[in-house]
């Protein structure tokens, strides 16, 4: 009987310690999940569409009557507009290099922005297209060749696929 009572006391102590551990974990996890979601709305925009993140930099596009690209560094919002375009979309970022699309009269074309200069990029012979992702100097996207949509990889030295 004495051993049985000792076993019960040990099990009660284990259960109590386990209950304390669970309560602490729940309290910590509650705070972690409560602080994990942040709304990203470009100031004054009707809609904001974040598309990619690299470190603390987030890029995307927003609509305020016109479509504009944006860069958000966690504190400051910067509008990114391709020169002369009717609208700009931003889809990817790697370091200070940003890719997306700009529209001329009606068609989208791929774009590259290095933080200073804008460059149009497009698959040779394409009617229109978009750049969607960047990693180092490699850019992926898609284009329309007049009969079908196709994907592309632009790489200064193309890998063997």
């Amino acid at each position: 009987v004495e051993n049985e009572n000792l076993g019960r006391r040990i099990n009660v102590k284990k259960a109590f310690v386990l209950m304390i551990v669970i309560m602490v974990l729940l309290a910590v996890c509650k705070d972690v999940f409560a602080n994990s979601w942040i709304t990203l709305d470009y100031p004054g925009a009707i809609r904001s569409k974040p598309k990619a993140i690299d470190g603390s930099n987030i890029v995307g596009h927003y609509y305020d009557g016109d479509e504009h690209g944006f860069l958000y560094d966690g504190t400051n919002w910067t509008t990114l507009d391709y020169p002369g375009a009717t609208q700009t979309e931003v889809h990817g970022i790697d370091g200070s290099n940003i890719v997306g699309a700009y529209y001329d009269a009606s068609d989208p074309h791929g774009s590259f922005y290095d933080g200073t200069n804008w460059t149009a990029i497009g698959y040779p012979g394409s009617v229109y297209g978009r750049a969607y992702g960047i990693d180092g100097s490699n850019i992926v996207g898609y284009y329309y060749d007049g009969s079908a949509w196709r994907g592309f990889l632009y790489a200064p030295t193309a890998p063997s696929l």
Side-chain angles (χ1 to χ4, degrees), residues 10 32 42 48-49 53 61 66 71 76-77 85 93 99-100 118 135 139 141 143 148 155 160:
I10 291 173
V32 168
Y42 192 98
S48 300
K49 296 180 178 181
I53 186 169
H61 45 102
D66 292 307
L71 169 64
N76 300 303
W77 294 89
I93 182 170
V99 296
W118 288 93
D135 183 32
I139 299 171
Y143 67 97
S160 298

Side-chain angles (χ1 to χ4, degrees), residues 28 30 35 37 52 55 58-59 65 75 87 89 91 104 117 141 147 152 155:
V28 169
K30 175 185 163 251
N35 294 322
W37 295 94
I58 299 169
V59 295
T75 304
Q87 59 183 334
E89 298 174 353
H91 299 291
D104 53 20
N117 299 304
S147 63
F152 72 80

Side-chain angles (χ1 to χ4, degrees), residues 29-142:
C29 290
K30 175 185 163 251
D31 289 341
V32 168
F33 290 117
N35 294 322
S36 296
W37 295 94
I38 299 170
T39 298
L40 297 172
D41 285 335
Y42 192 98
I46 296 167
R47 68 174 175 256
S48 300
K49 296 180 178 181
K51 297 287 186 160
I53 186 169
D54 184 44
S56 62
N57 291 320
I58 299 169
V59 295
H61 45 102
Y62 70 93
Y63 182 77
D64 65 357
D66 292 307
E67 200 79 30
H68 307 274
F70 72 76
L71 169 64
Y72 177 63
D73 66 8
T75 304
N76 300 303
W77 294 89
T78 302
T79 295
L80 302 173
D81 284 333
Y82 190 96
T86 59
Q87 59 183 334
T88 302
E89 298 174 353
V90 175
H91 299 291
I93 182 170
D94 185 37
S96 62
N97 295 325
I98 296 171
V99 296
Y102 71 94
Y103 287 72
D104 53 20
S106 62
D107 295 327
H109 304 281
S111 63
F112 172 82
Y113 180 63
D114 66 8
T116 304
N117 299 304
W118 288 93
T119 304
I121 57 172
Y123 191 88
S126 66
V127 178
Y128 44 84
R130 289 183 173 88
Y132 261 89
I134 184 167
D135 183 32
S137 58
N138 299 314
I139 299 171
V140 295
Y142 65 89

Side-chain angles (χ1 to χ4, degrees), residues 1-11:
V1 173
E2 185 68 31
N3 285 340
E4 191 174 298
N5 285 337
L6 181 60
R8 284 186 187 146
R9 279 184 272 165
I10 291 173
N11 285 337

